[in-house]
Amino acid sequence: MTCLPKNEHGCPYLLLAPMEGVGDRCFRRAMASVGGFDEAVTDFLRVSANPHIQSLARMYDFQETLPIPLAAQLMGSNEEHMANMAREIEKRGAPRIDLNCGCPSNTVTGHGAGSSLLKDPKMVYRVAKAMVQAVSIPVTIKMRSGYADTSLFKENLLAAQESGVQYITLHPRTKIEGYGPAARWELIAEAKSILRIPVVGNGDILSVQDALNMIQLTGCDALMIGRGSVINPFLFQEIKAHFAGKVYRSSWDVLLKYLETYISYMPVDVGERQKINKLKQLMGFLFKRNIALLEHRQIMLRAAHTDMNSFLDFAMPFLRSFSLSEE
Ligand SMILES: Cc1cc2nc3c(=O)[nH]c(=O)nc-3n(C[C@H](O)[C@H](O)[C@H](O)COP(=O)(O)O)c2cc1C
C-alpha cells in the first residue's frame, strides 16, 4: 500500500510541511481545525549527541491533529541514537518517521545533522537505513537539493532510495541558498526521473495555480506546503475543491475557529506578551495575503497592547476582511 494515496477526483495527497518556530503545535492544531491536508509532520525533534530519548519522545503526540495523521520528524546524525529514537516514537503511535536532511541552520549543521548529511551520501544512507531497520512503520526523508551545490544531488537521492525509505520529499534549494532564490522545480522532475520511489514536491506553492503548475511541471506524486499555508490557511481546501470542480469559499467562522484554536493551544508556560508576539507572527503572515490588509501590517505588528483581549479587539476587525477577500 502506498503511503501517498490520491484523493478523490485525482487530487494528490497533500502534506502540511514542518516549520520549526512557525508551524508549531498550536499552528498544526489550528490548521487541523480548517482541514484539507492529508497528513502533517512535526517540526524537527533534535536527537543530539547525548539524547534523553524518552523525554524527547514525549514531545511527540500523535493525537495532536486527529483525525489527520501526524508524522514525526527527527534530526540527527548518530545512527544508534536515531534508531533508538525512531523506536520510541513508533511506540508512541506515529504513523511515519521522517529524517531531516534539509535544515540549513549552522547550529544544526555544525553537528553534522540536517542539510550537513547531504555532504556525504553514505551518511544519508547509514542514518536512514538505521531508522528503517529499527521500526515497522514507514520511514521517509525530507531533503534539500544539496549542501553548497547540487553536485551530489543524484548520489544523495539514490542513497536515500537504497536505504529503504518509502518516499522522498524534495525542497529544491541547497543549504547555501536558504530560502532566497526560487525553488528549482526542475530538480523535482529530475528526481522523479532518477528514482523508483515516490517524490513529494515542495517549495513556493502559494496558490491553487502554483500547485497545478508543480504537478504538471514535475510529475511529482504528492505536494507538501509550508509558508503558503501560513499565509492562507484555506489553501489545502482550495486545492481539494479545485479538483472536485468547485471553489472553496473561506468564511469568517472558519477563520475565527482557526485563531481561537491557535490561541487556546499556545504554550501555558509563556507570558501574555510572548503570546501576543506569537499571534502577531501568525497574523503577519495572514496580513501578507492581500493589498487591503498589507496596508495595515506594520500598524498591527507595532501595536503595543499588553493583554491578549485588547490586542484582539484591535486586530480582529482587520481580519474580517481577510475571510471575504479575493486571492
Ligand atoms: C520557519 C521555517 C521553519 C522550517 N522548519 C523546518 C523543519 O523543522 N523541518 C524541515 O524539514 N523543514 C523545515 N522548513 C522547510 C519547510 O518545510 C519547506 O521545505 C520550505 O519552507 C519550502 O516550502 P514552502 O515554500 O512551501 O514553505 C522550515 C521552513 C521555514 C520557513
Side-chain angles (χ1 to χ4, degrees), residues 48-97:
S48 61
N50 196 8
H52 195 294
I53 298 283
Q54 257 116 28
S55 56
L56 195 57
R58 276 197 285 277
M59 293 172 71
Y60 171 77
D61 174 9
F62 79 98
Q63 301 190 57
E64 207 177 278
T65 51
L66 282 178
I68 299 171
L70 176 68
Q73 188 183 67
L74 305 186
M75 181 163 64
S77 55
N78 179 301
E79 295 145 56
E80 194 187 331
H81 295 333
M82 291 292 273
N84 288 339
M85 186 67 188
R87 260 183 229 110
E88 205 56 39
I89 292 283
E90 180 181 31
K91 279 191 221 154
R92 294 184 64 83
R96 170 174 72 93
I97 300 181

Side-chain angles (χ1 to χ4, degrees), residues 2-21:
T2 170
C3 302
L4 300 168
K6 272 211 166 31
N7 287 293
E8 277 182 334
H9 312 291
C11 177
Y13 198 74
L14 301 177
L15 295 115
L16 177 62
M19 284 177 289
E20 200 248 340

Side-chain angles (χ1 to χ4, degrees), residues 16-23 41-45 73 75 98-104 142-144 169-173 178-179 183 202-206 224-230 281 285:
L16 177 62
M19 284 177 289
E20 200 248 340
V22 176
V41 55
T42 65
D43 38 325
F44 61 77
L45 289 169
Q73 188 183 67
M75 181 163 64
D98 190 60
L99 169 62
N100 180 312
C101 293
C103 185
K142 179 163 179 290
M143 63 193 270
R144 284 180 175 256
T169 303
L170 182 60
H171 172 204
R173 290 184 176 98
Y179 295 94
N202 168 239
D204 296 351
I205 299 175
L206 295 174
M224 176 180 276
I225 302 177
R227 290 164 300 174
S229 67
V230 198
Q281 183 192 45
F285 279 96

Side-chain angles (χ1 to χ4, degrees), residues 234 250-252 255 289-290 319-326:
F234 308 125
S250 51
S251 79
W252 175 237
L255 186 64
R289 194 189 185 212
N290 66 30
L319 275 173
R320 267 195 175 270
S321 63
F322 178 93
S323 55
L324 305 171
S325 60
E326 295 293 323

Side-chain angles (χ1 to χ4, degrees), residues 182-201:
R184 291 182 56 196
W185 288 2
E186 71 277 14
L187 292 175
I188 300 175
E190 196 176 327
K192 273 298 294 170
S193 72
I194 292 170
L195 296 172
R196 287 187 315 272
I197 57 174
V199 177
V200 178

